[in-house]
Amino acid sequence: MTHFTPIITTLTTTLILSSGAIANEAQDNPVSFAHEVSDLAPDPAVTWGKLENGVRYAILPNAEPPDRVSLRLHVEAGSLMENEDQQGLAHFIEHMAFNGTTHFPAGEMVEYFQRLGMGFGSHTNAHVTFHETVYKLDLPNTEEAMLDEGFKLLRDYADGMLLLPDEIEDERGVILAEKRSRDSVSWRTFVEQVGFALPESIVSRRMPIGIEEVIVNAQRERFVEFYENWYTPNRLVVIAVGDIEVDAIETFVESYFADMEPRTRRPDPDLGELSERVWATHHHFEEEAGETSVSLEALTRQTSETAIDSAENRAIELRRNIAAQIINRRLERLAKREDTPISSSSTHAGDFFSLGLAQYASISADCKPGDWEAALALVEQELRRALEYGFTQAEIEEVRATYRNLYEESASQMATRKSRDLANQISRRIGHREVFTSPADDLKRALPELEAVTAEECLAVYKALWEEADETLIFVSGNAEISDAAVSIKAAFDDSQAVAVSAPEAKEIATFAYGDLPPSGTIAERNDFEDLEVTQVRFKNNVRANFKPTDFEDETVHVRVRIGSGQLTEPEGGLSIFAGQMLNGGGLEAHSEDELKQIFAGQTVSVGLSVGEDAFTLTGKTNPDDLEAQLQLMRAYITNPGFREEARTEFLRSLDYLYQQIERTPGGFSQDEVSAFLHGGDPRFGYPERDALESFTIDQVKDWVLPELESAYLEISFVGDFELEPTLEMAAATFGNLSDRDAKKPDYSEERQVTFPAGTERTFTFDSEIPKAMANAHWPTVDIFDIKTTRRLGLVGAILGDRLRIKVREELGDAYSPFAHNLPSDVWTDYGYLFASITVDPEQAESVTAVVNEIAADLATGTSITEDELERSKKPRVVQIEEMRRTNRYWLSSVLEASQEYPQRLDWARSFVDDYRSISLEEVNTLAAEYLDAEKQVTVIVKPE
């Protein structure tokens, strides 16, 4: 996707279980909220409080979505609090919260909340990081009885876990399965990188997933010790956000948590110190990596002053981020050059992994293994260019405009933020020891700072990260084999430093070349569907437009354009993959992608282009003020696509990583070989041989795509915060005046035929030493246009998935997250399949497949699904549907985007909720018997050789 609103660059490396943060400065007042020791005021809409025993709470009334509330129990305890023989128990205990508590017996909690309309994983979940454990409940209504159940469970999490020995034993396999499912080249590299950067800190020895020895052998008393030591009232924060009254929630907090016995708060662990190396290099070889990464890093000890979230530190962070963003823009340009050694690059600055231990700066790049020295030289010299010559005023202005727009948008969208997101943000800020501030206050504070920012200030704060660093590190990882690595890496760095650098070249910002448009088109036909608040028009040029104004997201408008046939007419397998990159990275005839980012800096304008199964698609997200610019840009991608050679260069550089994923991971292999197999070997599915992708030319893309862009059937859809009539006029002025389009899309009846394989068993093997396999079972179903059947098959899939959870996860402990789902196609005629997928140990693939077969066979009897199972699957689904219907994403993707091509989409929207509620036990049992036919089942195992 091509974005012209660059994201603020901060260090957001994600841990395998979650990302986290901790600050050491608060030991003098360890149970305070961050705003109590800061000059920043917290969001005034939040009520902050503390019970006498130390339990804290944060309550935020929020109207979106209506009649919903999100509860969180934030526990200030994570893997950093573990002893050596407890590594992994913080995470293990989080699992045990779902395996028996005072009020919810083992094996009944998930089912109980399903009956209330809460799905496991979607409405009840938890995560553990280095420093925190967070339990999450998203309740389906705000009735007193529902709130009572929610707070009862939060209290059970706090001190009511039973930690039964038998349940611990049963859960060991699940934890090991999760550890296995998350194993990857990137995870192994992350662990190595943290160990290299912080060898003297316990951080490098406390990965939240833990170690196998503890997971397998830890006895109950070690669990109890951790639970009692760290789940204390003064480490608990209850968070409630939603359609609620503050007084009522305070009563619940008091009722359920005030009688917890006060405890002395154990001091946070000493994270250790930075090492005394000053300078160090490290090489981490991963044969299965698709590329090599080089990184220059600087670490500076955190101080009590820099660790506190304050107005001064936010002002410094703003300038530091502006500097980093400018360097990122420079690196983007370098990555597009034909002679560059890198495929991608980036720079970051901030608190190292948000731990409060060290300030951090880095500049890194990805490359082919043979280019690591040249890549290291490139990032070293670009860093030095910035440190020696600073930034141009034009660069400052571009990024200043981007940040101003981000702050303004955040403030304007406050009223329609989702409760779930806000609850997570409050929890995250508490964990990071940051003040939860109002976006409106952030805007008031940021605008004067942005106006005052100078190039000299940005250089000074960024330079300090490098020149005042306690350690400078070089980390080279990936598939480059380097002999005598320490010497070779240092030599490559020294050679680069001997090369003189020059000042950056100042660039002028161009004027958009495609803003002068012909007269507006006129409407030939209009239909208003008042019950759905949807309007459809057809312009005289046969462009069709769909409109649905909503109040789900303030100041946000989603736009999607569907053109022509997409993969239905793909002339050669794999060309769509290449064409997508050419469209996305090729810019326009008059402007490169980089120039477009400069032109639209400060505006919320974005265009993502893709080649779908049945259309070429342009997607954008903007606001009402920038909607006209958004439409002009999207129009230009239709009338004047760039097809620039730099896009092909970027594509070719990306193939190393792409084919590593395809050839060396079960998920990538499934998207390639397995996908092609499930579609009868049709070349439009999976990936061609690499040399075929490399041989494609831009002319081949033009020959296929340009005629479609010029005259094929086109439908544009608008969903979001806009006024109908002015938006309709903008559509007429930008799309209603395009060249005449086809009035109807061809049937493509032959092109829509794909074949599901006959019932069979297949084992696919790939080359990897990571012990991770996938066991999949598939049953042919129907396409989406038999909507009543596909909805009911969706519930059959949910019931199958729930049985797999109970048997494979809970009883056998062989997998972490088995799931099942029905996939009906809206492109391929009478094609769809219901499937179950489980990530397992390769040695268990066949035995787990046998369990799947056994469960499916039982369902196929047509009598085994119970009323309780149906309700436990249906109620959470209905709740999710009700929530989904209050999102722009649903109305755009599931209803509007092809609603004139497929008018039945509007009727589907009308019947969605009521039809699901009406699904009967007889219907799902009948369909299970009809479709879970062992004779038609296709079993696929994907495992390493």
Side-chain angles (χ1 to χ4, degrees):
M1 182 176 285
T2 301
H3 290 282
F4 304 116
T5 304
I7 298 173
I8 296 177
T9 303
T10 56
L11 183 62
T12 57
T13 300
T14 303
L15 299 178
I16 205 67
L17 302 179
S18 140
S19 60
I22 192 168
N24 289 332
E25 92 291 340
Q27 288 305 307
D28 58 334
N29 189 9
V31 294
S32 64
F33 289 112
H35 58 259
E36 296 176 30
V37 293
S38 172
D39 59 352
L40 294 168
D43 189 327
V46 180
T47 296
W48 310 88
K50 183 167 71 172
L51 304 181
E52 290 185 6
N53 59 7
V55 172
R56 287 164 287 159
Y57 58 86
I59 304 169
L60 174 57
N62 187 66
E64 190 61 42
D67 195 33
R68 295 287 191 271
V69 59
S70 292
L71 302 179
R72 303 290 183 265
L73 180 67
H74 182 108
V75 185
E76 291 184 336
S79 61
L80 290 176
M81 284 70 180
E82 296 164 349
N83 295 327
E84 288 292 325
D85 61 353
Q86 292 177 317
Q87 292 183 62
L89 294 196
H91 171 241
F92 205 138
I93 286 171
E94 175 250 299
H95 275 240
M96 295 306 299
F98 298 89
N99 286 282
T101 65
T102 302
H103 296 96
F104 300 94
E108 297 182 18
M109 181 188 298
V110 172
E111 290 77 3
Y112 176 76
F113 280 92
Q114 285 175 333
R115 295 181 189 106
L116 296 179
M118 299 165 65
F120 180 59
S122 56
H123 298 106
T124 61
N125 213 328
H127 75 252
V128 175
T129 72
F130 282 125
H131 74 287
E132 70 183 11
T133 304
V134 181
Y135 297 95
K136 310 171 188 181
L137 297 176
D138 295 300
L139 304 182
N141 62 63
T142 58
E143 295 173 5
E144 184 174 354
M146 180 65 70
L147 287 167
D148 191 66
E149 292 300 297
F151 275 93
K152 184 188 299 179
L153 182 55
L154 291 190
R155 172 60 190 270
D156 272 11
Y157 289 152
D159 66 354
M161 292 190 212
L162 301 179
L163 302 175
L164 300 171
D166 289 347
E167 296 298 324
I168 290 174
E169 290 303 317
D170 290 344
E171 196 69 16
R172 295 189 199 274
V174 177
I175 304 290
L176 291 174
E178 180 178 0
K179 192 174 190 295
R180 178 175 55 251
S181 71
R182 299 181 185 277
D183 192 8
S184 66
V185 168
S186 60
W187 170 245
R188 295 180 179 192
T189 301
F190 168 76
V191 173
E192 189 81 10
Q193 187 174 21
V194 175
F196 168 55
L198 299 175
E200 306 299 325
S201 172
I202 65 168
V203 173
S204 60
R205 302 184 299 279
R206 292 294 185 275
M207 293 297 149
I209 194 63
I211 60 176
E212 188 166 333
E213 179 184 357
V214 172
I215 294 169
V216 171
N217 297 314
Q219 297 303 298
R220 182 178 184 272
E221 56 265 23
R222 308 303 291 130
F223 290 79
V224 172
E225 179 185 14
F226 185 93
Y227 188 48
E228 292 183 349
N229 283 344
W230 299 104
Y231 278 57
T232 55
N234 44 28
R235 287 188 174 272
L236 305 181
V237 185
V238 179
I239 300 165
V241 181
D243 196 359
I244 52 179
E245 298 291 335
V246 173
D247 290 347
I249 299 300
E250 283 187 311
T251 299
F252 274 113
V253 175
E254 177 80 25
S255 173
Y256 273 100
F257 288 91
D259 65 346
M260 287 187 72
E261 183 180 348
R263 301 275 299 281
T264 300
R265 179 179 167 116
R266 297 172 69 90
D268 287 349
D270 184 353
L271 299 186
E273 296 291 336
L274 299 183
S275 71
E276 302 296 330
R277 293 170 296 181
V278 182
W279 169 270
T281 66
H282 187 65
H283 173 230
H284 173 62
F285 177 65
E286 283 284 352
E287 181 183 2
E288 297 181 32
E291 55 198 353
T292 290
S293 297
V294 298
S295 178
L296 281 172
E297 304 169 358
L299 294 176
T300 307
R301 289 177 180 82
Q302 186 81 281
T303 67
S304 58
E305 290 77 16
T306 59
I308 291 177
D309 188 14
S310 65
E312 179 182 359
N313 285 335
R314 288 198 183 184
I316 293 171
E317 182 183 29
L318 175 64
R319 287 158 175 79
R320 191 168 56 207
N321 286 336
I322 289 174
Q325 184 62 31
I326 291 171
I327 299 172
N328 272 325
R329 293 284 287 116
R330 293 180 183 178
L331 293 171
E332 283 179 19
R333 299 184 190 107
L334 289 171
K336 294 178 185 297
R337 286 175 22 183
E338 190 170 356
D339 61 345
T340 188
I342 65 174
S343 58
S344 62
S345 53
S346 62
T347 184
H348 301 290
D351 183 347
F352 187 71
F353 296 126
S354 300
L355 289 166
L357 177 63
Q359 291 287 316
Y360 170 79
S362 75
I363 184 168
S364 60
D366 299 323
C367 62
K368 291 179 177 293
D371 291 336
W372 72 267
E373 292 167 294
L376 178 59
L378 183 147
V379 296
E380 186 279 324
Q381 289 166 31
E382 280 309 304
L383 173 63
R384 190 150 39 90
R385 191 188 319 279
L387 297 181
E388 289 184 15
Y389 295 101
F391 312 114
T392 68
Q393 192 59 35
E395 289 175 316
I396 293 289
E397 293 302 328
E398 177 186 339
V399 180
R400 191 204 315 266
T402 298
Y403 273 68
R404 182 185 301 113
N405 185 61
L406 288 171
Y407 280 110
E408 290 172 345
E409 279 213 327
S410 182
S412 67
Q413 295 168 1
M414 282 178 59
T416 52
R417 292 175 296 175
K418 300 295 186 285
S419 294
R420 177 180 305 190
D421 297 336
L422 284 168
N424 291 337
Q425 289 172 21
I426 292 173
S427 176
R428 186 163 53 249
R429 291 290 180 90
I430 288 170
H432 288 204
R433 297 295 301 169
E434 295 173 349
V435 181
F436 182 78
T437 49
S438 160
D441 291 341
D442 292 339
L443 177 64
K444 292 176 184 177
R445 183 176 54 255
L447 287 181
E449 288 291 345
L450 281 168
E451 293 305 315
V453 162
T454 66
E456 292 74 20
E457 289 173 341
C458 293
L459 175 60
V461 297
Y462 188 72
K463 203 170 186 177
L465 288 172
W466 290 95
E467 296 189 347
E468 299 174 13
D470 293 297
E471 289 191 309
T472 302
L473 311 173
I474 303 179
F475 185 65
V476 181
S477 64
N479 57 354
E481 298 187 58
I482 306 174
S483 59
D484 199 3
V487 173
S488 298
I489 294 170
K490 182 64 165 62
F493 179 80
D494 290 342
D495 289 345
S496 177
Q497 286 207 306
V499 177
V501 295
S502 58
E505 178 183 350
K507 296 188 67 175
E508 292 187 6
I509 299 177
T511 300
F512 187 55
Y514 303 104
D516 188 11
L517 302 179
S520 296
T522 55
I523 294 174
E525 183 180 356
R526 173 170 175 163
N527 291 299
D528 294 286
F529 302 92
E530 294 183 1
D531 62 324
L532 296 175
E533 298 179 311
V534 166
T535 295
Q536 294 180 336
V537 304
R538 179 177 62 83
F539 294 103
K540 285 189 175 180
N541 64 351
N542 284 323
V543 164
R544 298 169 183 270
N546 312 305
F547 305 84
K548 180 172 176 60
T550 71
D551 58 2
F552 308 146
E553 297 175 273
D554 283 348
E555 296 293 307
T556 303
V557 184
H558 299 263
V559 186
R560 184 167 296 168
V561 183
R562 282 170 47 90
I563 308 169
S565 62
Q567 284 183 276
L568 284 172
T569 59
E570 186 176 6
E572 185 174 350
L575 184 60
S576 59
I577 301 167
F578 179 65
Q581 178 62 34
M582 294 307 99
L583 291 166
N584 253 314
L588 302 173
E589 286 180 333
H591 304 298
S592 68
E593 189 181 25
D594 178 66
E595 288 174 340
L596 289 170
K597 289 183 178 181
Q598 292 179 307
I599 292 169
F600 290 100
Q603 292 180 281
T604 303
V605 177
S606 65
V607 178
L609 302 99
S610 61
V611 183
E613 290 182 333
D614 66 338
F616 300 94
T617 303
L618 288 79
T619 302
K621 180 180 176 182
T622 185
N623 58 50
D625 291 340
D626 295 333
L627 180 55
E628 184 175 14
Q630 173 72 52
L631 294 177
Q632 289 180 357
L633 179 62
M634 297 179 91
R635 185 188 199 277
Y637 269 97
I638 297 171
T639 60
N640 299 90
F643 296 112
R644 293 171 177 268
E645 188 64 35
E646 64 187 38
R648 184 173 187 274
T649 299
E650 281 191 285
F651 175 76
L652 294 177
R653 290 199 191 99
S654 72
L655 294 183
D656 283 347
Y657 181 77
L658 173 63
Y659 276 87
Q660 182 271 339
Q661 294 293 302
I662 291 171
E663 296 167 358
R664 307 295 288 268
T665 68
F669 199 88
S670 295
Q671 293 177 32
D672 182 23
E673 295 276 352
V674 177
S675 178
F677 168 67
L678 292 175
H679 293 85
D682 191 305
R684 293 172 294 185
F685 298 87
Y687 293 82
E689 295 295 327
R690 177 169 176 165
D691 58 1
L693 274 186
E694 292 174 328
S695 68
F696 286 135
T697 67
I698 292 176
D699 284 341
Q700 285 177 279
V701 178
K702 289 182 177 180
D703 290 343
W704 176 33
V705 174
L706 284 179
E708 302 262 327
L709 296 182
E710 183 178 352
S711 61
Y713 180 93
L714 187 154
E715 196 165 342
I716 181 171
S717 300
F718 300 79
V719 177
D721 184 9
F722 61 84
E723 295 183 22
L724 176 59
E725 298 305 327
T727 302
L728 205 159
E729 291 176 6
M730 279 189 263
T734 50
F735 280 76
N737 53 11
L738 286 168
S739 58
D740 287 349
R741 322 297 299 190
D742 293 341
K744 183 180 178 182
K745 180 183 280 191
D747 289 338
Y748 294 119
S749 56
E750 291 186 12
E751 291 84 352
R752 293 181 184 276
Q753 300 299 320
V754 295
T755 304
F756 192 84
T760 185
E761 294 183 11
R762 283 286 300 270
T763 297
F764 295 88
T765 61
F766 60 98
D767 183 17
S768 175
E769 64 180 32
I770 295 175
K772 183 160 58 175
M774 294 180 70
N776 301 324
H778 313 78
W779 297 267
T781 55
V782 294
D783 64 37
I784 200 169
F785 297 100
D786 185 352
I787 193 66
K788 287 182 73 69
T789 298
T790 60
R791 285 171 176 168
R792 284 147 182 80
L793 283 171
L795 280 188
V796 173
I799 292 165
L800 172 59
D802 202 49
R803 288 198 181 185
L804 289 172
R805 173 188 64 82
I806 294 169
K807 184 68 177 181
V808 180
R809 174 180 166 133
E810 306 298 344
E811 291 186 22
L812 301 178
D814 287 345
Y816 171 58
S817 57
F819 69 95
H821 189 62
N822 182 49
L823 283 178
S825 175
D826 61 356
V827 176
W828 316 110
T829 302
D830 198 28
Y831 184 89
Y833 57 84
L834 191 156
F835 74 101
S837 181
I838 309 175
T839 299
V840 295
D841 185 311
E843 295 183 359
Q844 296 174 310
E846 283 76 14
S847 63
V848 168
T849 298
V851 173
V852 175
N853 295 343
E854 181 182 341
I855 292 173
D858 185 50
L859 289 170
T861 62
T863 59
S864 74
I865 298 175
T866 66
E867 191 69 46
D868 181 59
E869 279 186 301
L870 174 61
E871 290 304 301
R872 289 192 294 103
S873 294
K874 185 165 67 173
K875 283 187 176 180
R877 182 66 62 94
V878 169
V879 169
Q880 287 177 315
I881 291 170
E882 291 172 337
E883 293 171 351
M884 191 166 56
R885 284 175 63 85
R886 289 195 60 80
T887 66
N888 289 324
R889 178 176 58 84
Y890 162 74
W891 286 99
L892 181 63
S893 299
S894 298
V895 183
L896 248 67
E897 71 166 344
S899 59
Q900 295 194 52
E901 182 179 352
Y902 300 110
Q904 56 267 62
R905 281 175 171 253
L906 299 184
D907 287 331
W908 295 351
R910 293 184 176 101
S911 66
F912 201 7
V913 176
D914 289 341
D915 190 27
Y916 259 101
R917 284 177 173 154
S918 73
I919 294 173
S920 70
L921 181 62
E922 180 182 0
E923 287 176 310
V924 292
N925 266 320
T926 299
L927 288 177
E930 180 179 354
Y931 286 99
L932 293 178
D933 184 348
E935 299 258 334
K936 297 178 181 178
Q937 178 178 335
V938 174
T939 301
V940 174
I941 293 175
V942 182
K943 63 181 181 180
E945 294 178 353

